[in-house]
Amino acid sequence: MNAYESIKKSILHGEYPPKMRLTEEYLASQLNLSRTPIREALRQLESEGLIVSMKRGVSVRHFTKQDIEQIYDLRVLLEGYAAAQAALHRTNEDLKEMKQANELYEKAITSYFDSGNTTIDNILEINQQFHDSVIKASQNQHIHSHMSKVVVVPLIFRSFYWFDEYQLRHSLDVHKTILKAIEQQDTERARAAMHEHIYHGRDQVIFHMDEIDHHYTL
């Protein structure tokens, strides 16, 4: 695992909690690496919004309730539009990709609760495959570039962290509703289902916000 992947994983899992100050020296010592790859990793993580610069070093980004509401509102607008456009422009290949992502998502959820062979990281990655396939089907290349600036990985990770089995399976059911609407070229249903899906994740983060802050904040 390289410096970027290692630091990012530690941030997502709360090993480096929100507001924690990180320096090149500390990270180089922790990861047994020189400061050059650490510096490059921090530059990339800052561009992704996971850390913020300080006078000396960086700190792990902390999100307020207002941050969460505004970020998810933007996601709703962009991904709702993407789902509606996908309903208009999808191809058979697009539908195949979405169905395959949902099948993998269902298997990952079952594995996570039945055997523990799947992690939340795996579920998050497969969930993103579905969302990426919807955006791809919209045939609007600009949506993806805007989404990369709006999708804040720690918030999405935390929403999944707090999902129980019922909520994860509900998430899968909404995926299926989105897929069916896109398949039937029902633009408004696709948009509405995507809105529900994203707001469900937002609500989980906000509902558990005090608990999250208590758990992660130093």
Side-chain angles (χ1 to χ4, degrees):
M1 188 179 297
N2 61 33
Y4 163 76
E5 291 171 340
S6 181
I7 298 169
K8 183 174 183 177
K9 182 178 180 181
S10 293
I11 291 172
L12 292 181
H13 288 269
E15 295 163 22
Y16 299 154
K19 297 184 180 181
M20 180 177 179
R21 180 171 163 273
L22 300 172
T23 64
E24 292 179 11
E25 296 90 341
Y26 170 78
L27 292 170
S29 173
Q30 288 289 304
L31 301 177
N32 195 27
L33 294 170
S34 71
R35 291 174 60 177
T36 298
I38 298 295
R39 191 175 302 120
E40 293 173 354
L42 293 179
R43 190 177 299 116
Q44 185 173 352
L45 291 166
E46 185 174 8
S47 72
E48 294 178 5
L50 298 180
I51 58 175
V52 292
S53 292
M54 302 176 65
K55 288 185 179 179
R56 185 170 182 271
V58 299
S59 67
V60 179
R61 185 175 177 184
H62 174 261
F63 298 93
T64 65
K65 182 178 179 181
Q66 184 179 38
D67 288 330
I68 294 167
E69 290 174 341
Q70 291 177 347
I71 288 166
Y72 274 92
D73 282 347
L74 286 173
R75 278 197 67 198
V76 161
L77 289 173
L78 287 170
E79 291 204 64
Y81 176 74
Q85 290 297 297
L88 288 176
H89 302 297
R90 90 291 185 278
T91 65
N92 288 334
E93 184 61 31
D94 292 326
L95 294 173
K96 182 180 177 181
E97 287 184 22
M98 282 181 257
K99 288 177 182 177
Q100 287 176 338
N102 270 350
E103 288 169 1
L104 290 173
Y105 192 46
E106 186 165 15
K107 288 178 182 177
I109 292 170
T110 299
S111 174
Y112 179 71
F113 288 103
D114 287 356
S115 65
N117 291 332
T118 303
T119 66
I120 287 294
D121 302 71
N122 300 138
I123 292 174
L124 176 63
E125 182 180 346
I126 296 169
N127 174 71
Q128 193 57 49
Q129 287 178 22
F130 176 78
H131 284 262
D132 286 345
S133 67
V134 172
I135 293 170
K136 177 174 174 285
S138 74
Q139 295 187 25
N140 186 329
Q141 61 181 340
H142 301 287
I143 295 176
H144 193 275
S145 63
H146 286 295
M147 281 301 303
S148 65
K149 300 172 185 175
V150 172
V151 173
V152 183
V153 177
L155 294 182
I156 299 173
F157 181 85
R158 290 180 201 172
S159 71
F160 274 79
Y161 182 86
W162 293 107
F163 278 4
D164 58 22
E165 184 171 6
Y166 170 80
Q167 289 165 329
L168 278 173
R169 293 198 181 279
H170 173 74
S171 173
L172 172 64
D173 288 341
V174 180
H175 275 201
K176 291 178 179 178
T177 300
I178 293 167
L179 174 57
K180 184 175 181 180
I182 291 173
E183 188 172 22
Q184 295 178 343
Q185 298 191 295
D186 187 336
T187 58
E188 289 311 307
R189 189 180 185 197
R191 190 197 312 270
M194 184 63 81
H195 285 183
E196 177 190 347
H197 185 48
I198 294 169
Y199 277 137
H200 185 213
R202 179 206 64 181
D203 291 347
Q204 285 300 302
V205 176
I206 291 176
F207 182 77
H208 292 286
M209 189 171 178
D210 290 341
E211 189 173 353
I212 291 169
D213 284 343
H214 177 74
H215 181 73
Y216 285 108
T217 304
L218 290 176

